[in-house]
Amino acid sequence: MNKIVSNKALKRRYRKEKIFKGAAIFALLLAASFLVFFFSNMIGKGVSAFSQAEILVDVHYSESSMKSYRKAVDKPYRKIVSRGWLRTLPMYMEDNPEVMGTTRQEWVLATADVDQYLKGYPNRLKDKHKQYIDKLQEEGKLKLAFNTGFFTRGDSKMAELAGIKSAVIGSILVLLVTLAVALPIGVMTAIYLEEFAPDNRLTQLVEVNINNLAAIPSILFGLLGLAIFINFFGVPRSSALVGGLTLALMTLPVIIITTRAALRAVPNSIREAAYGLGASRWQAVFHHVLPLAFPGILTGTIIGLAQAMGETAPLLVIGMMAYIPDSPTGFTDAATVLPAQIFTWAGESIRAYEERTAAAILVLVTILLSMNAFAIWLRKRFETRW
Amino acid sequence: MNTSDAAFYFFITVLPIAAVIGFLVKSKVQNAFNDTHWRSLPIHYAFYVGLVIALPGAIAFFFASALHLLTIYTADGIHVLVLATLLSMWGGFHSLKNVRPAFCARESVERIIRYFLISAAFISILTTIGIVLAIIFEAIHFFKIVSLWEFLTGTHWAPDDATEGNTSGMFGSIPIFAGTFMITIIAMSVAVPVGILSAVYMSEYASEHVRNIAKPALEILAGIPTVVYGFFAAITVSPLVVNFAESAGLHADYTNALTPGLVMGIMIIPFISSLSDDVIRSVPRSLRDASLALGTTNSETIIKIVLPTALPGIIAACLLGVSRALGETMIVVMAAGLRPNLTWNPLEGMTTVTVRIVDALTGDQAFDSPETLSAFGLGLVLLVITLILNFISIYVTRRFRSQYE
Amino acid sequence: MLLQFGYANDLKQGGNMNKSKISIHELKLWYDKNQALHGIDLQIAEKKITSFIGPSGCGKSTLLRCLNRMNDHISNCRIEGKVLIDNQDIYDPNVDVVQLRSHIGMVFQKPNPFPKSIYENVAYAPRIHGIASSGDDMDELVENVLKKASLWKEVKDKLHQPGTALSGGQQQRLCIARTIAVKPEVILMDEPCSALDPIASAKIEELMDELKKEYTIIIVTHSMQQAARVSDFTAFFYMGNLVEFGNTGNIFTKPQQQQTEDYITGRFG
Ligand SMILES: Nc1ncnc2c1ncn2[C@@H]1O[C@H](COP(=O)(O)OP(=O)(O)O)[C@@H](O)[C@H]1O
Ligand SMILES: [Mg+2]
């Protein structure tokens, strides 16, 4: 029985085993630690954008501030109250005449530099302003409040005013177009290929085609959108319509492939049972197969939409990174989407945009992960074992 | 009146009318249903009549707008409206005549549905053909201005200096493809080992519990949008790389090739690991048992038996990873820089095909300027490479499948 | 294969004593290039049970599926010859397949209830054929049918629970119930008991005996004992040919062909 007692060669083999296993664990841990690093980095960068500096000042609603909006606040405050906010005052006064002639103490938006100073980030404030701000803070006239404006305002050239609302609305409009185009066409194509098409050369060609479509880099869909939708069909550039159409072409193969898989997962015995009772092909599909495949189709659609929602490259090419301060109101208005907004903010040199970019990323990633989690939950919930 | 207004009026009147007539037909058939043998159910007759009323008009509008969009012929909306109405009335008379027991309305309805399905499938094919044709068509315009030979062999890319008349020597794409391949190679040298080893760990060593956590975690990595990776590369990783290079006594540009390469590698890990995981798990249990029973260690079995068996599938996964890396846009746009640069040093800035495409198309150039068209030339090359990679990976996967299924 | 004497004799006898419901003439069938049926001639008697036996792969299911044109759904399948049901050629282009299948029901090897309620399983066919719409008519029909399939007692309290939750034997009886809900004339059964335990099989056999009063039944079976127990006529197939056909008693006691004898005595297959 000497032979099964370990010897030198065996020890070496076991060492190798350990090294290999160690490398495998290391690889997985590397990927995992990146994930942790990435999320802590984004949260670290972005979380501060959810609060925003506000100052308690006397606002004068008067004729003179109507003419020159800077006069609405007292002189020492003029450098630290957001000019972008002040600029909205005349319009506010026109809409609400009853406030005219009054002076009210209100919490108003501070400039981005004040905001950054309070948060301890680099800023362009002069020392005398810094001292003044410290004093205000001691008096309790300066605070960091929840940044509702980030969710209720559109893009702005002034960092403290910039929000994601118009980008979110743009994203929703684009996704609606994508869904309206890709879902029916994709599901119908899948039904045809899986349930009706004869198994011939043409069908195989279509299959290869769809496989290829799924592998084409997204940027090339942008080229297609530009050449065909914009230049040929004359769909307005930068509009949610052209963005949605372009993304629909990208989502189409995802929906077709997942729908086909869902249809294929329905066992043939169900179809035969229906045929045996005298159901026509269409009736077998519509009454029995499609309802059973529905959760799978839904899962695929959600995953496809999540992909489309995170897509940026093809949209840049069709002009969807325009500066859009006001939310689009229709499918042909110029619009931007959340990822494109992230891209434009990321290119801004002012420090205050960086945290907003990270915050927008947190919002986007949260939405996308929730969509994916919902899709996975759906799949698990309605998974049928045959 | 233009065609779209006409279509609007047509549909808001005809659709309700079709629905009402369908409903009337249904109740009529319902009443007579038990007296004779009808070949279809009342609802089938209703749908039949409704569809035959609405469809001919809709098709007329479809063709009118197609002709208009293709700028072949623009019909007067009134004329189309009249034609559509006549067609629908004809459809109405024709279909109402058919509401009789011996007529199988179900078959007709199903045939119409089938046509719908076929046209959907047709549209799906058109998109691929459309992409290829659109890109080829514009690329031909480009290659009329710049010779293909010069494009493929030139080493100087300066589209900004090019004018309508003088393009010679401005469109040499070698530095651009050099940058693309450099970044792709960096990305793959991160993604391939990490991806495959993670897959090996998940499928061969990990307990079910660890697997259930690790797999979704990797899928999260795949769900992060590329623009987010781009921001991360530019803001977080790039300074790290620069500092690291400095501490090693090297100089690195802020927009170096290494940063987007590394980040892209991380982005591609989940593609490779999840596909490899699938193929490794589909290697039959019996093969492993046979090897282990000969007295090999786990790692020996994996390296000598399992991985070679799964190799075609793993290669296919890596090829898909490569085509992802070649076509990836946002990471390089945000972190790789714009300067065409022919170098072996990954710490210098380089540019890629996708960056140049975006740059060429986001400027305020006219659509037929040489620079804009160059995007389509580059796009065509990218498309061809991707399709070739895809065909190879389909072929390899098929061989793997036929072996073990 | 040769033309067999015994077969011809039995056909005459069968033909005289019983009205023929289905007659199959020179039926040939190909899957792509593979011929699965080599010219079958067969008469099926009305309101009797006929069983098809033979080693697996000999074409029993294929022939059965020809009788309600289930093979229409297999794209690579080509058929020559004639199948007459009540002297009507079912492969005539004017025949409506859907109509045909409501006259000729089919029960499959593996119980395949729809993943819907028991009630819906039974109600489905009457609904698509417009036999009963809904409400009281349908309730009555479902009850009658389930009683006929001797399933009513077991399921009357859980009509709205999924049919897939029943036991295998109950599922198969549900499938039979679902088939007879449209009052077919012929019921085709493809090894209906092969997935069931002996007790559940016995119940199905009882049910078949009951149904025989109203329906012509053809059953494909692997079990010689089952064929001997339930059927009036037996057809033995081998490699796509009908080797022998006759009274079940005759086939099992004095087969005319060597192959038949070998098979039923268990020497092959
Ligand atoms: N869908 C099909 N495609 C191709 N060949 C088939 C198909 N169905 C059955 N066959 C072939 O036809 C022959 C007869 O099959 P089948 O009728 O199922 O036999 P049985 O039911 O007697 O066991 C077999 O050789 C089988 O392989
Ligand atoms: Mg069989």
Side-chain angles (χ1 to χ4, degrees), chain A residues 152-334:
Chain A
T152 58
R153 294 203 183 91
D155 195 6
S156 167
K157 291 289 181 209
M158 273 166 233
E160 70 271 15
L161 279 175
I164 56 173
K165 185 183 164 201
S166 51
V168 168
I169 289 180
S171 273
I172 293 173
L173 292 179
V174 165
L175 284 193
L176 283 179
V177 175
T178 302
L179 187 67
V181 175
L183 185 64
I185 296 183
V187 171
M188 280 160 72
T189 304
I191 293 177
Y192 178 72
L193 290 178
E194 203 55 42
E195 306 285 340
F196 290 91
D199 187 23
N200 57 20
R201 273 288 160 80
L202 193 74
T203 320
Q204 283 165 17
L205 193 75
V206 175
E207 278 208 61
V208 172
N209 237 317
I210 288 162
N211 254 322
N212 278 331
L213 203 58
I216 289 176
S218 59
I219 179 87
L220 297 185
F221 285 90
L223 294 189
L224 171 86
L226 181 65
I228 295 198
F229 295 136
I230 296 180
N231 283 331
F232 194 69
F233 286 131
V235 182
R237 204 177 139 88
S238 304
S239 65
L241 184 60
V242 70
L245 287 173
T246 307
L247 291 184
L249 298 185
M250 286 184 56
T251 315
L252 198 56
V254 180
I255 294 184
I256 294 176
I257 290 169
T258 46
T259 303
R260 290 190 71 178
L263 292 172
R264 214 175 298 144
V266 176
N268 228 356
S269 64
I270 297 290
R271 295 179 186 88
E272 296 218 306
Y275 296 149
L277 293 173
S280 65
R281 211 170 186 134
W282 170 249
Q283 284 171 327
V285 171
F286 196 69
H287 295 158
H288 300 291
V289 179
L290 217 46
L292 290 173
F294 183 71
I297 297 174
L298 202 59
T299 306
T301 308
I302 294 173
I303 289 175
L305 282 186
Q307 249 175 48
M309 189 174 176
E311 197 56 67
T312 326
L315 300 181
L316 297 188
V317 170
I318 52 176
M320 293 201 71
M321 52 173 217
Y323 170 63
I324 311 286
D326 298 318
S327 306
T329 53
F331 291 104
T332 48
D333 289 356

Side-chain angles (χ1 to χ4, degrees), chain A residues 303-371:
Chain A
I303 289 175
L305 282 186
Q307 249 175 48
M309 189 174 176
E311 197 56 67
T312 326
L315 300 181
L316 297 188
V317 170
I318 52 176
M320 293 201 71
M321 52 173 217
Y323 170 63
I324 311 286
D326 298 318
S327 306
T329 53
F331 291 104
T332 48
D333 289 356
T336 188
V337 292
L338 201 44
Q341 184 72 77
I342 289 170
F343 175 68
T344 30
W345 281 351
E348 293 281 351
S349 52
I350 299 169
R351 172 64 183 72
Y353 278 105
E354 190 178 311
E355 62 173 31
R356 285 184 137 70
T357 314
I361 284 176
L362 290 178
V363 172
L364 178 65
V365 169
T366 308
I367 295 174
L368 295 185
L369 290 186
S370 326
M371 284 170 84

Side-chain angles (χ1 to χ4, degrees), chain C residues 60-61 109 190-191 220:
Chain C
K60 308 177 296 286
S61 303
Q109 183 165 359
D190 192 350
E191 304 192 27
V220 170

